[in-house]
Amino acid sequence: MFDHEWTSCLNDTVGRAGGFDLSEASTDQLRELLVGIQHDVDRLQALQARAVTEFESRDGHRADGCASMAAWLRRKLRLSGSETRLRRRAAAALVQLPEVKAAVEAGRIRPAHVEVFATGVHRLGPKVVREHQHLLLPVAETCDPAELRTALDRLRDTIDPDAADRDWVHAQEKYDFSLRRVGHGFDVSGYLDPETGAKLKQVLDSVSAPAGADDRRPIAQRRVEGLHGLVNAILDSGLPSDKGVRPHLAVTVGLDTLKKAVRGDRTSSAPPAFLAGYGSIGRDLLSRLACDATLSVVLTETTDGAGRRPYRHVLDVGRIERLATARQRLAILIQQGFRCANPGCASTYLEIHHIVSWLDGGPTDMHNLVGLCVGCHHLVHAGLLRCRRDDDDDVVFYTRDGTLIEDERRRILGELDRNLDPPGAAA
């Protein structure tokens, strides 16, 4: 039964909320308000997606003088073309994925996750996504949309190992890069291959890192100013006449997969390689990178959590060195998936922190080191964030008052790894 009076109640509630004096609210009340608003906004967007599908099925847009539903959405809801396409595709996916529909209506996942599921339906088909909802929904409920997209890539690589290579070949037809004068500046646009894009991303991440804890510049400003400094440095030293020092890309790959890629073996199964800053890559691109790369061997062991971690003791240097060595830094990046260890933080520019301070006798050993972004590193030294190793030898984090920060992301992604790794995959 449809209750037409609910819209009046909703308008009244939102209208009253708009008059709240937030300066009188406590921090706990503001936290509850922010979480509640996001929860309700997500549920309303899910309802809107359903309403769009129903309205279009009745040709409601034609009754309003619009030739298409997209035109109606632009006129009535002031949505852009890209927003319109996303909303309509998400609405179609909800019809095909009832469990996803129930999750978004309950507020357990966000509309942005539904858009990723819609992409998965387009690429893999509704049957495949439906059959793997029991693996994908926990990822969506725990992680951000980007990690759900990576999980869908993992699923695709598992059921179709050659997909990454086909994507690479297909993408070559779209490669483009242009710099165009617009007004008082330049517009940069294009489409880059995974190798070039990952290199550029690594450069931009590096040059846009905060200058310190007090650096309040927006990330966009830091990125542009960092690129400006980098270009100046290149011009000051003269334009290169050759490739110079090879750029550093981080590709994490098992020995078995690497051997098969180098041999050109495309018939037997093997887990895909992972290019930091991009994602999983096929054997053809892996073989291409291996031809022009320096191989760094890092022995790893399987863990109960997401991913694998390097054997530690062979990298320990004790009190001989105060700063982490280059090998230790590489091992920590691999162990943490090239992102900050603080649960929920997705920053990739990391500093190496001693869990037990060097000044307090802490060694520069792997068990005493963790990778933190500039912001989280500052929180630790300000006493607002605490970390230690637990009984399982994992780094865990606490708020200042001692409340454990749960790392559901690590647990869920570990469960995904255990379900999608092929039997007998090499560590």
Side-chain angles (χ1 to χ4, degrees), residues 187-205:
D187 175 74
V188 181
S189 61
Y191 186 89
L192 304 178
D193 62 277
E195 181 183 358
T196 305
K199 289 177 181 177
L200 180 59
K201 183 179 184 301
Q202 187 175 29
V203 170
L204 291 178
D205 285 348

Side-chain angles (χ1 to χ4, degrees), residues 27-271:
T27 301
D28 289 339
Q29 289 171 330
L30 287 173
R31 181 185 301 110
E32 182 180 358
L33 176 65
L34 287 170
V35 173
I37 289 174
Q38 188 62 63
H39 183 267
D40 291 338
V41 167
D42 290 343
R43 296 175 69 187
L44 283 172
Q45 285 193 18
L47 176 61
Q48 184 189 50
R50 290 173 50 206
V52 165
T53 301
E54 184 67 24
F55 188 73
E56 183 176 12
S57 71
R58 302 182 187 187
D59 283 339
H61 55 284
R62 296 181 185 276
D64 286 342
C66 294
S68 66
M69 191 63 196
W72 189 93
L73 290 169
R74 285 195 296 269
R75 180 194 297 177
K76 294 291 187 179
L77 304 188
R78 302 187 303 279
L79 297 179
S80 67
S82 59
E83 288 177 311
T84 297
R85 287 189 294 273
L86 288 174
R87 298 284 176 90
R88 297 182 68 197
R89 193 166 69 170
L94 291 178
V95 174
Q96 298 169 310
L97 304 173
E99 292 183 32
V100 173
K101 174 176 173 288
V104 72
E105 289 177 349
R108 299 198 305 273
I109 65 175
R110 303 196 58 245
H113 293 101
V114 178
E115 293 169 5
V116 179
F117 274 111
T119 300
V121 168
H122 176 72
R123 297 174 64 191
L124 304 176
K127 182 176 182 295
V128 171
V129 179
R130 275 197 302 270
E131 290 175 349
H132 293 84
Q133 286 180 100
H134 67 289
L135 291 177
L136 297 172
L137 268 175
V139 177
E141 292 171 358
T142 308
C143 306
D144 62 35
E147 290 180 309
L148 175 60
R149 189 175 297 108
T150 300
L152 277 163
D153 285 343
R154 289 279 321 275
L155 173 61
R156 180 204 58 180
D157 293 332
T158 300
I159 64 178
D160 185 4
D162 294 327
D165 286 325
R166 289 198 306 272
D167 286 350
W168 182 42
V169 173
H170 176 68
Q172 292 179 26
E173 301 172 359
K174 301 188 291 183
Y175 292 166
D176 178 46
F177 187 82
S178 62
L179 186 67
R180 183 170 60 95
R181 171 78 181 271
V182 176
H184 298 289
F186 285 87
D187 175 74
V188 181
S189 61
Y191 186 89
L192 304 178
D193 62 277
E195 181 183 358
T196 305
K199 289 177 181 177
L200 180 59
K201 183 179 184 301
Q202 187 175 29
V203 170
L204 291 178
D205 285 348
S206 178
V207 300
S208 63
D214 297 328
D215 190 346
R216 304 299 181 188
R217 293 174 298 162
I219 179 62
Q221 180 183 348
R222 298 203 309 266
R223 189 180 294 121
V224 172
E225 292 178 356
L227 183 60
H228 175 79
L230 181 65
V231 171
N232 273 349
I234 294 174
L235 294 176
D236 288 344
S237 60
L239 292 174
S241 58
D242 54 28
K243 294 183 179 179
V245 178
R246 294 173 180 173
H248 291 190
L249 287 182
V251 178
T252 308
V253 57
L255 181 59
D256 183 53
T257 300
L258 180 60
K259 286 181 177 178
K260 291 176 179 177
V262 173
R263 290 199 307 263
D265 180 357
R266 297 180 178 83
T267 57
S268 54
S269 63

